[in-house]
């Protein structure tokens, strides 16, 4: 069993470390170096994310590949954080103030992050559905010469696509209704004659009344920068890691359809501007916030770059199919334009096809990592609780 | 076929060849007993040949007219339904096959016209667009028909044939042990579900009669390149049905936070439900869904497995997440059996899961379940450890009144009585725990008769648990000031332990040697009790000078009084003590009686001269009867028998 293996070696290391701590004071310096290195890496990584060029579609802010990079960085930071917290230090420290309060709060945040991961995983299923609809649009418009039938085929898929994206945005818990609406439109028979009333999806939800925005808001509870003497110890990486975790979850929810996102924009975490590592995160937060505001004015949201592109192209192609049906035929120039847009949509679909599944798996990896660290921290707390008699 | 398209004949002779070939194909097509594949080839060939002819003719202007006529005919058949409120497949098989034929014809015309569209011909292009438009209309219609058929003929099934073992009561560890009672042993046998009920569990999710209809719709939609539309419609209806069924099973979506906060009784029932739902969903529902996908979409490459994955993924994730949440929750001892249930269920479903998700796209799901199994195993081990810790750390400040069977003992023994049911799983999980300690060397020799079970990892852990328990009971016995009561307490508890082991499958794991040893142990405590209580009492009745006739009256009086006082004191104290086991109580009374009554009778017999004296407060019979009142759990005091 890996957990116990780990425990054994972990405890072994602790006792060695403990002796060293007693033996020489140089360890404190080592610790300080570790901490400095950690925050240096954090600021480097997030600076890289912030500097992502908007014009390169692959790395654009909130694109699939950008999110994957973000999650990669999260995993790296997390590994370093755990190293600092658990390997190099006197374990009894985690049961002493201020960590005795900060660690449980951190664990609480971790659990909330897990639910966000699950909500986002489900959200990616919706994105996959959009992709499939967009692929139908592409395959309809790829036919040459384009005729009324193909244009109508494209329009039908586009209508489903656009309404699915819009409903998912507004009220994701009812997302399933949209996947169906495209199927029951004609026939003059009202849709409820054909399908049972209680058609609302259950599996698409994390839980009833669950809200991604509230969850993230709750993650920021008690999240304050360590002050005074606490600032130099382990309280600071706990704080840093918490901010990273909240930010990553926030960004995921902003990008991917998610159950109940109302109020997400209002969330802000008190990151100290003067600290190096925090600047990039604040910068990203502001940048994404602006994007969000822009989108909200248009009545839609869903900041995943590929989805935005899909929405934009969808609108253009929708106009195209409309005019096609109105005029009966179109000029060659219009047809060429439409073909170009369809090609662009095809490219977006391709990027989704390549990226969505790996992204979903990566989110699962983040999930498992958070679970693992939580278990290890709980075990460590347990060991400390057992080994030190509560006499002092 | 390509040859027919590329070489467009231009000469009269060619025209004749084409016409002849056309005739032959038509004649062959009329033959009965053709295989489906062959018939399809002939039909395709027929349509191509007619297209070639019409193309040749079009130079003369006649051929396209023919195509147009065929299209008109198909269009009429298709358009008729656009205004009809009835569903085609509800209207009868004839209507459905007519419609399909018309769609097929349209599709062929589209293919044929497209194949020839290299020649820019305005008229031809116009007909092509018209045909495609009709095709689009028909495809849209077929999609609706498909959804209608799936919804209307979707079968509900009751999960009645799946056995649930959720009826077993929980044994909750709680410091006060208020809930611990001895349960009737027959409950143990409630777990008789079998692991190999797969195979016969596949049900029809959609009525078998309509499968050919769905297949024919799939065929024509895929042939016309409307496969994606078919898949989306099929997936969304089937996904809904699965999710509805899932909620019908009573499995609600819960956030991990909710699960972690959940009270034990609630969590326990959810864990049961999960175990149960997993079996039905994987073994029955998804196996049936997979079959449906294969029936409908088999032969279309990876389409079937793609649809299956899309249909099931959301529900699967939901099941996975609950499992993860349970595995990461606090490891309380009472969780052990439920965790083992979940572990065993998942372990025996893994093969089914691997089969269902054998394609590359499903490897993600496979992996997640394998990881979950591992985590459930770890969690079960942690709960096992928590159980052990709970046993050794259970402390009390006051002695347990009456010296009867301590609730901790009952709790532990009733709990571990269930372990043999999980023998294989526990052995597997415990194998790697504390390597070294399970070494046989450190174990007492159980002799050549001991069965293999006595040596399995679980047996070792069972004995280690009871030895934790025993040392805790020893600690608890020290709380009694009265040495005799210490022995009564230990006698009672060890006797209980042995009885529980002997009376269940546990005996196979503990082995005869263990039982012999512990039998001797409680008997030793019984003897120690007798010595501690009765030696001093009986010492009053001792004959100091064996051989001499009798003692002086004053000595007799003194002895008599001493005995009475001591006996009454014992009576007063020990009537409140308790020996819950009637047989054990009886045995101890008999052996006490033998010792005390005999000594008293002899004492009085030796001193017959004084027996009328009023200092003899108790008759032999009275003493004998009084002894029957001991260990009844009710404090009494003794009255004079005279």
């Amino acid at each position: 069993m890996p957990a116990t293996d780990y425990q054994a070696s972990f405890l072994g290391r602790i006792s060695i470390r403990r002796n060293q701590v007693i033996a020489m004071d140089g360890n404190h310096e080592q610790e300080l170096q570790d901490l400095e290195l950690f925050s240096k890496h954090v600021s480097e990584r997030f600076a890289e994310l912030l500097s992502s060029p908007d014009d390169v579609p692959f790395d654009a802010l909130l694109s699939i590949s950008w999110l994957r990079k973000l999650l990669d960085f999260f995993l790296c930071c997390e590994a370093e954080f755990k190293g600092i917290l658990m390997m190099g230090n006197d374990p009894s420290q985690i049961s002493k103030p201020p960590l005795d309060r900060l660690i449980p709060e951190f664990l609480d945040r971790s659990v909330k992050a897990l639910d966000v991961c699950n909500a986002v995983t489900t959200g990616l299923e919706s994105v996959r559905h959009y992709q499939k609809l967009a692929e139908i649009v592409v395959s309809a418009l790829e036919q040459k010469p384009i005729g009324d039938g193909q244009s109508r085929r494209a329009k039908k898929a586009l209508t489903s696509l656009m309404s699915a994206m819009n409903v998912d945005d507004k009220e994701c818990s009812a997302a399933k209704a949209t996947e169906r609406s495209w199927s029951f439109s004609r026939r003059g028979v009202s849709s409820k004659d054909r399908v049972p009333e209680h058609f609302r999806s259950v599996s698409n939800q994390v839980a009833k009344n669950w809200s991604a925005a509230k969850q993230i808001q709750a993650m920021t509870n008690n999240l304050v920068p360590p002050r005074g003497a606490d600032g130099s110890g382990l309280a600071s990486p706990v704080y840093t890691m918490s901010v990273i975790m909240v930010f990553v979850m926030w960004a995921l929810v902003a990008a991917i359809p998610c159950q109940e996102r109302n109020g997400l924009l209002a969330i802000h975490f008190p990151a100290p501007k003067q600290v190096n590592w925090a600047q990039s995160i604040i910068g990203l937060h502001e940048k994404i916030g602006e994007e969000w505001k822009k989108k909200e004015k248009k009545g839609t949201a869903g900041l995943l770059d590929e989805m935005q592109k899909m929405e934009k192209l969808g609108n253009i192609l929708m106009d195209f199919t409309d005019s096609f049906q109105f005029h009966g035929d179109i000029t060659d120039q219009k047809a060429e334009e439409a073909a170009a847009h369809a090609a662009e949509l095809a490219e977006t679909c391709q990027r989704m096809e390549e990226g969505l599944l790996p992204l979903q798996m990566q989110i699962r990896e983040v999930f498992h990592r958070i679970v693992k660290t939580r278990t290890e921290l709980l075990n460590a707390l347990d060991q400390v609780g057992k080994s030190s008699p509560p006499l002092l | 076929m390509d040859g027919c398209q590329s070489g467009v004949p231009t000469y009269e002779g060619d025209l004749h060849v084409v016409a002849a070939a056309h005739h032959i194909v038509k004649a062959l097509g009329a033959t009965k007993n053709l295989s489906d594949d062959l018939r399809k080839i002939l039909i395709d060939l027929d349509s191509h040949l007619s297209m070639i002819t019409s193309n040749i003719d079009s130079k003369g202007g006649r051929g396209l007219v023919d195509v147009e006529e065929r299209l008109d005919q198909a269009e009429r058949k298709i358009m008729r339904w656009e205004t009809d409120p009835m569903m085609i497949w509800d209207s009868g098989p004839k209507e459905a096959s007519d419609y399909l034929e018309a769609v097929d014809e349209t599709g062929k015309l589209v293919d044929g016209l497209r194949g020839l569209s290299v020649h820019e011909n305005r008229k031809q292009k116009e007909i092509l667009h018209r045909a495609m438009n009709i095709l689009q209309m028909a495809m849209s219609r077929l999609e609706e028909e498909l959804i209608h058929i799936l919804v209307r003929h979707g079968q509900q099934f009751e999960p009645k044939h799946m056995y649930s073992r959720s009826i077993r009561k929980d044994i909750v560890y709680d410091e006060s042990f208020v809930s611990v009672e001895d349960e009737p042993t027959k409950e143990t046998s409630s777990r008789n579900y079998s692991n190999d009920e797969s195979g016969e569990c596949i049900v029809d999710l959609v009525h078998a009669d309509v499968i050919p209809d769905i297949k024919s719709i799939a065929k024509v939609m895929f042939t016309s390149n409307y496969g994606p539309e078919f898949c989306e419609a099929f997936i969304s209806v089937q996904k809904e049905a699965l999710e509805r069924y899932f909620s019908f099973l009573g499995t609600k979506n819960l956030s991990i936070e909710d699960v972690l906060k959940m009270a034990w009784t609630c969590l326990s029932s959810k864990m049961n439900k999960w175990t149960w739902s997993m079996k039905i969903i994987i073994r029955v529902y998804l196996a049936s869904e997979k079959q449906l996908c294969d029936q409908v979409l088999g032969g279309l490459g990876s389409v079937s497995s793609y649809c299956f994955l899309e249909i099931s993924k959301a529900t699967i994730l939901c099941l996975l997440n609950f499992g993860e949440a349970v595995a990461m929750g606090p490891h309380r001892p009472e969780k052990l059996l439920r965790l083992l249930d979940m572990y065993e269920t998942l372990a025996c479903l893994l093969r089914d899961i691997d089969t269902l998700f054998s394609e590359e796209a499903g490897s993600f799901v496979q992996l997640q379940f394998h990881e979950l199994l591992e985590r459930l195993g770890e969690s079960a081990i942690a709960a096992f450890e928590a159980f052990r810790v709970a046993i050794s750390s259970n402390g009390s400040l006051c002695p347990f009144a009456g010296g009867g069977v301590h609730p901790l003992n009952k709790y532990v023994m009733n709990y571990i009585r269930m372990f043999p049911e999980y023998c294989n799983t526990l052995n597997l999980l415990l194998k790697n725990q504390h390597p070294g300690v399970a070494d046989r060397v450190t174990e007492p020799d159980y002799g050549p008769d001991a069965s293999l079970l006595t040596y399995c990892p679980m047996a070792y852990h069972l004995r280690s648990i009871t030895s934790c328990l025993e040392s805790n009971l020893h600690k608890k016995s020290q709380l009694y000031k009265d040495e005799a009561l210490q022995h009564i307490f230990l006698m009672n508890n060890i006797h209980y332990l042995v009885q529980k082991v002997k009376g269940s499958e546990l005996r196979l794991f503990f082995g005869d040697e263990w039982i012999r040893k512990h039998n001797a142990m409680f008997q030793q405590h019984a003897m120690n009790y007798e010595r501690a209580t009765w030696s001093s009492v009986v010492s009053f009745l001792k004959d100091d000078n064996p051989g001499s006739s009798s003692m002086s009256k004053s000595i007799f009086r003194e002895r008599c009084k001493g005995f009475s006082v001591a006996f009454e004191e014992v009576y007063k104290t020990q009537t409140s003590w308790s020996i819950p086991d009637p047989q054990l109580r009886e045995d101890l009374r008999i052996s006490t009686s033998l010792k005390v009554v005999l000594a008293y009778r002899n004492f009085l017999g030796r001193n017959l001269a004084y027996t009328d004296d009023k200092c003899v407060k108790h008759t032999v019979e009275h003493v004998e009867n009084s002894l029957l009142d001991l260990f009844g759990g009710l404090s009494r005091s003794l009255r004079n028998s005279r």
Side-chain angles (χ1 to χ4, degrees):
Chain A
M1 302 281 127
T4 40
D5 278 356
Y6 172 76
Q7 223 177 60
S9 61
F10 169 53
L11 288 176
R13 242 172 291 185
I14 287 171
S15 58
I16 297 166
R17 271 300 208 182
R18 186 180 279 169
N19 294 338
Q20 285 174 345
V21 171
I22 294 164
M24 47 186 170
D25 213 19
N27 247 47
H28 187 61
E29 254 168 60
Q30 175 66 44
E31 186 187 305
L32 282 179
Q33 273 178 22
D34 286 350
L35 291 182
E36 246 167 63
L37 209 60
F38 175 60
S39 63
K40 182 167 168 275
H41 287 161
V42 171
S43 49
E44 278 170 7
R45 285 175 186 134
F46 280 87
E48 191 184 329
L49 286 168
L50 182 62
S51 67
S52 278
D54 281 340
D55 44 345
V56 182
F58 267 130
D59 275 340
L61 186 72
L62 295 181
S63 63
I64 293 174
S65 58
W66 187 89
L67 286 174
R68 290 186 58 192
K69 206 192 242 177
L70 174 73
L71 294 179
D72 253 349
F73 288 167
F74 174 83
L75 290 170
C76 294
C77 293
E78 212 270 351
E80 270 182 62
F81 165 72
K82 197 166 79 185
I84 289 173
L85 196 61
M86 298 174 79
M87 304 301 182
N89 286 283
D90 179 3
S92 65
Q93 232 180 300
I94 60 173
S95 64
K96 283 182 199 148
L99 290 187
D100 62 337
R101 178 176 54 83
L102 295 177
I103 296 280
E105 281 172 10
F106 178 78
L107 293 178
D108 205 40
R109 246 167 244 138
S110 302
V111 171
K112 290 187 163 70
L114 293 178
D115 280 325
V116 175
C117 285
N118 283 339
V120 170
T121 306
T122 311
L124 283 177
E125 289 293 296
S126 302
V127 180
R128 260 203 51 93
H129 178 61
Y130 310 153
Q131 180 204 329
K132 293 292 157 191
L133 292 172
E135 278 171 6
I136 295 179
V137 176
V138 170
S139 85
L141 296 179
E142 260 172 5
Q143 313 257 352
K144 275 180 193 147
I146 180 115
D148 189 33
Q150 294 309 306
S151 135
R152 278 172 50 188
R153 183 184 182 192
K155 189 183 159 79
K156 184 166 184 253
L158 276 169
T159 313
S160 312
L161 174 64
M162 302 312 273
S163 73
M165 291 215 294
N166 278 316
V167 175
D168 273 24
D169 272 342
K170 283 185 199 120
E171 194 195 350
C172 191
S173 49
K176 288 310 295 288
T178 63
E179 283 184 32
R180 218 161 303 101
S181 62
W182 54 277
S183 314
F184 299 94
S185 42
R186 265 166 40 205
R187 284 282 73 71
V189 188
S190 77
S191 62
K192 68 175 175 231
D193 293 332
R194 303 239 193 104
V195 283
E197 278 281 358
H198 49 284
F199 231 20
R200 182 163 291 200
S201 163
V202 264
S203 298
N204 240 10
Q205 300 184 1
V206 173
K208 219 177 134 196
N209 299 330
W210 191 85
S211 151
K214 279 192 196 133
Q215 189 84 351
I216 289 171
Q217 180 72 65
M219 284 174 79
T220 64
N221 283 350
N222 310 319
L223 187 57
V224 281
R227 266 175 226 164
D230 293 348
S232 61
L234 285 177
S236 105
V238 173
Y239 170 75
T240 309
M241 196 60 219
S242 293
V243 171
I244 294 172
M245 191 187 276
V246 175
F247 173 75
V248 169
M249 295 304 144
W250 182 85
L252 284 174
V253 171
I256 295 162
C258 213
Q259 187 178 342
E260 200 45 68
R261 302 191 293 183
N262 272 337
L264 191 67
L265 186 62
I267 294 167
H268 83 289
F269 17 101
K273 274 215 162 91
Q274 66 280 13
V275 188
N276 218 356
W277 62 263
Q279 280 168 5
S280 307
I281 293 185
I282 293 169
L284 283 167
H285 184 242
E286 281 168 359
K287 224 167 149 183
I288 296 172
E290 276 162 29
E291 285 286 305
W292 183 282
K293 276 185 214 150
K294 262 194 267 170
K295 284 283 124 189
E296 248 181 352
K297 269 181 212 146
K298 277 200 252 161
T300 57
L303 299 181
L304 186 71
D305 187 57
E306 282 79 1
M307 266 172 67
Q308 293 199 58
K309 205 149 279 165
M310 201 171 252
E311 202 180 353
K312 196 186 87 198
L313 292 167
N315 280 323
I316 296 173
L317 290 171
M318 189 75 124
D319 288 346
F320 169 74
T321 55
D322 282 345
S323 71
F324 197 103
Q325 262 162 328
F326 188 72
H327 299 296
D329 208 347
I330 33 114
T331 60
D332 284 351
Q333 192 207 340
K334 279 229 166 182
E336 262 166 45
E337 271 173 31
H341 287 131
E344 214 178 319
L345 187 60
E347 194 200 313
T348 307
C349 287
Q350 185 57 31
R351 232 178 299 148
M352 284 181 160
E353 178 67 31
E354 283 160 11
L356 282 180
L357 216 58
L359 179 62
Q360 206 172 23
M361 277 156 115
Q362 214 177 357
I363 290 172
R364 203 68 191 162
E365 198 187 335
V366 166
F367 177 96
H368 287 316
R369 179 74 75 76
I370 293 174
V371 170
K372 196 163 173 242
T373 301
R374 181 179 172 274
T375 309
E376 285 169 11
L377 271 172
L378 283 174
N379 284 344
L381 282 173
D382 202 35
Q383 290 298 328
V384 173
K386 261 185 237 161
S387 60
S388 61
L391 286 173
L392 289 171
Chain B
M1 219 116 319
D2 283 340
C4 297
Q5 277 178 20
S6 53
V8 177
T10 44
Y11 299 108
E12 280 272 308
D14 287 354
L15 205 61
H16 283 302
V17 172
V18 173
H22 207 169
H23 274 295
I24 294 169
V25 169
K26 274 217 152 66
L28 287 173
T31 330
K32 279 171 189 163
N33 307 328
L34 280 181
S35 77
D36 283 353
D37 288 345
L38 193 55
R39 191 179 295 279
K40 189 181 181 309
I41 292 170
L42 287 174
I43 291 171
D44 287 349
L45 198 55
D46 178 48
S47 101
H48 280 289
L49 287 169
S50 58
M51 207 60 69
I52 292 165
T53 326
S54 58
N55 192 55
I56 298 166
D57 289 351
S58 74
K59 306 232 154 59
R62 252 180 46 232
L64 273 179
V65 176
D66 189 30
V67 172
E68 223 174 345
E69 261 167 33
R70 283 167 63 194
L71 188 60
D72 285 345
Q73 219 171 10
E75 187 181 21
R76 265 196 303 281
K77 283 188 191 167
I78 289 166
M79 291 308 286
R80 171 166 97 73
W81 288 102
E82 288 302 299
T83 47
D84 196 324
M86 279 290 283
M87 296 306 282
I88 303 166
W89 264 260
D90 285 351
S91 309
K94 173 83 175 71
E95 278 75 5
S97 70
D98 274 359
Y99 192 81
L100 279 179
E101 216 172 86
V103 177
D104 207 38
E105 173 85 351
T106 314
K108 267 185 225 138
L109 290 172
V110 168
D111 277 352
L113 288 163
R114 249 208 214 123
L116 297 172
S117 65
V118 270
H119 305 273
E120 272 299 327
N121 179 324
R122 209 182 131 75
K123 179 76 177 160
Q124 187 181 308
K125 203 172 143 194
E126 202 186 291
I127 299 175
L128 173 62
H129 281 162
R130 218 182 101 212
M132 279 170 81
N133 201 9
I134 296 166
L135 194 63
Q136 162 63 22
M137 222 174 293
M139 289 297 142
S140 228
R141 176 64 188 241
L142 285 174
E143 201 181 305
E144 277 176 50
E145 295 284 336
L146 167 71
I147 290 166
H148 177 72
I149 293 171
L150 287 173
V151 169
R152 175 145 180 233
H153 298 279
Q155 304 278 295
Q156 294 287 342
F157 75 94
E158 295 281 325
K160 58 184 171 231
H161 58 295
M162 298 301 286
Y163 183 76
S164 152
R165 50 171 154 147
S166 57
I167 33 171
R168 199 194 299 132
K169 223 181 106 190
D170 268 333
I171 301 180
V172 180
Y173 179 83
D174 100 58
E175 293 290 331
S176 61
F177 300 110
V178 275
S179 60
V180 179
E181 273 315 317
D182 276 325
E183 291 164 78
T185 35
K186 62 171 189 278
E187 243 197 312
T188 324
S189 61
S190 69
R191 203 178 97 134
N192 54 0
Y193 85 112
S194 76
N195 280 347
D196 32 49
E197 46 194 317
S198 60
E200 59 256 274
C201 282
I202 289 182
V203 294
D204 288 327
L205 293 181
V206 175
H207 200 284
D209 292 350
V210 299
I211 300 282
D213 297 341
I214 301 171
K215 263 176 95 163
S216 62
I217 294 177
K219 198 178 139 208
V220 72
M221 285 184 79
F222 272 89
T223 316
S224 312
N225 286 321
Y226 277 72
E229 273 95 337
F230 180 91
C231 290
E232 288 307 303
F234 184 75
I235 290 167
S236 63
V237 177
Q238 290 307 101
K239 196 174 165 194
E240 284 297 339
L242 171 57
E243 281 163 17
R244 227 176 15 248
Y245 187 74
F246 193 56
S247 69
F248 165 74
L249 288 180
T251 328
K252 261 202 316 218
N253 275 13
L254 294 163
S255 70
I256 290 177
E257 224 180 350
D258 289 344
V259 174
L260 292 183
K261 280 183 197 150
M262 199 170 276
W264 167 244
T265 43
C266 185
L267 182 62
S268 165
S269 87
K270 299 266 184 239
M271 286 166 87
N272 268 328
K273 220 164 230 169
W274 184 90
T275 310
W276 187 63
S277 308
M278 269 297 279
K279 271 187 259 180
I280 300 171
I281 294 283
I282 302 285
R283 278 257 160 86
V284 186
Y285 200 106
L286 289 185
S288 311
E289 189 73 64
K290 178 88 175 166
Q291 184 189 273
L292 177 68
C293 289
D294 286 345
Q295 277 174 344
V296 173
L297 299 163
L300 289 167
S302 62
V303 177
S304 166
S305 60
Y306 160 76
C307 287
F308 176 71
L309 187 63
E310 292 296 310
I311 290 165
S312 53
K313 207 168 177 186
T315 302
I316 288 288
L317 280 174
C318 195
L319 283 166
L320 273 171
N321 283 334
F322 179 79
E324 293 284 353
V326 166
M328 65 183 277
H331 308 301
R332 292 177 50 87
E334 62 263 25
K335 255 170 94 174
L336 178 58
L337 297 185
R338 290 286 162 276
L339 279 168
L340 289 173
D341 281 338
M342 286 174 73
Y343 181 91
E344 286 190 349
T345 303
L346 183 53
C348 80
L349 289 175
L350 268 191
R351 216 155 18 116
D352 301 66
I353 292 169
D354 289 350
T355 321
L356 288 174
F357 299 96
S358 54
E359 281 84 4
E360 204 202 327
S363 61
F364 174 69
V365 173
Q366 265 189 42
L367 184 74
Q368 293 301 315
F369 274 111
H370 283 266
E371 281 185 16
L372 176 61
L373 183 72
E374 200 176 300
R375 239 177 301 279
L376 285 172
E378 287 164 11
S379 193
I381 292 298
F384 194 91
E385 278 312 305
F387 178 59
R388 196 202 305 272
V389 169
I391 295 167
S392 41
S393 64
N394 172 272
S396 32
L397 296 170
C398 331
F400 179 62
V405 178
H406 196 276
L408 174 70
N409 194 357
K410 287 187 189 171
Y411 161 75
V412 172
M413 293 314 288
N414 281 318
Y415 206 118
I416 66 173
R417 215 182 51 193
M418 317 275 197
F419 286 9
E421 293 178 44
Y422 300 92
C423 177
N424 290 338
T425 305
L426 277 171
N427 276 337
L428 187 75
L429 293 173
L430 292 168
K431 204 167 54 193
N432 305 318
Q433 289 303 105
H434 305 290
V437 252
D439 244 349
R440 274 186 216 180
V441 189
T442 62
E443 290 258 14
D445 185 12
Y446 283 96
D449 303 333
S451 74
L452 274 176
L453 286 178
T454 322
Y455 289 118
C456 70
M458 185 180 92
Y460 165 74
H461 282 272
L462 278 173
R463 287 190 293 269
S464 122
I465 279 177
T466 51
S467 88
C468 275
L469 175 64
E470 282 170 52
S471 58
N472 189 320
L473 290 169
H474 269 281
K475 247 189 285 166
K476 288 193 179 352
S477 77
Q478 299 303 309
L479 295 169
Y480 297 108
K481 288 197 191 81
D482 192 332
E483 192 200 335
L485 185 52
Q486 291 178 3
H487 289 300
I488 288 291
F489 176 76
L490 287 172
M491 175 194 76
N492 273 330
N493 281 284
I494 292 171
H495 177 262
Y496 180 83
L497 204 73
V498 177
Q499 289 308 108
K500 282 285 168 182
V501 169
K502 268 161 66 178
S504 67
E505 267 189 274
L506 286 175
R507 69 182 179 281
L508 303 171
F509 297 90
F510 281 84
D512 292 341
E513 183 55 35
W514 185 96
I515 294 173
R516 260 197 297 280
K517 212 177 112 199
H518 283 75
N519 266 331
M521 227 184 256
F522 81 77
Q523 277 157 6
Q524 183 63 46
H525 283 298
M527 273 154 61
N528 291 347
Y529 152 78
E530 279 179 20
R531 196 178 320 116
T533 299
W534 297 105
S535 296
S536 59
V537 180
V538 172
S539 70
F540 287 109
L541 311 174
K542 250 196 288 179
D543 193 358
D544 291 334
N545 311 306
S548 75
S549 57
S550 64
M551 55 181 70
S552 70
K553 190 168 182 172
S554 62
I555 292 176
F556 175 78
R557 277 188 168 172
E558 195 187 302
R559 293 287 189 87
C560 224
K561 199 174 162 203
F563 173 76
S564 298
V565 170
F567 184 75
E568 281 163 29
E569 183 57 37
V570 169
Y571 183 88
K572 200 177 143 198
T573 333
Q574 302 198 359
T575 43
S576 72
W577 295 1
S578 142
I579 300 179
D581 185 80
Q583 188 61 48
L584 183 63
R585 192 165 60 223
E586 189 61 26
D587 287 352
L588 194 63
R589 276 172 185 163
I590 289 172
S591 105
T592 308
S593 211
L594 276 176
K595 196 172 181 181
V596 179
V597 175
L598 197 67
Y600 194 49
R601 182 176 286 129
N602 285 344
F603 172 74
L604 293 182
R606 279 197 310 275
N607 301 290
L608 273 176
Y610 316 126
T611 44
D612 287 341
D613 195 284
K614 64 173 185 278
C615 70
V616 183
K617 280 170 79 178
H618 307 290
T619 64
V620 175
E621 289 72 31
H622 187 232
V623 167
E624 200 170 356
N625 289 333
S626 303
L627 284 175
L628 296 179
D629 295 337
L630 299 186
F631 315 119
L634 285 169
S635 181
R636 299 171 172 219
S637 57
L638 205 55
R639 257 174 289 142
N640 244 349
S641 62
R642 297 189 164 196

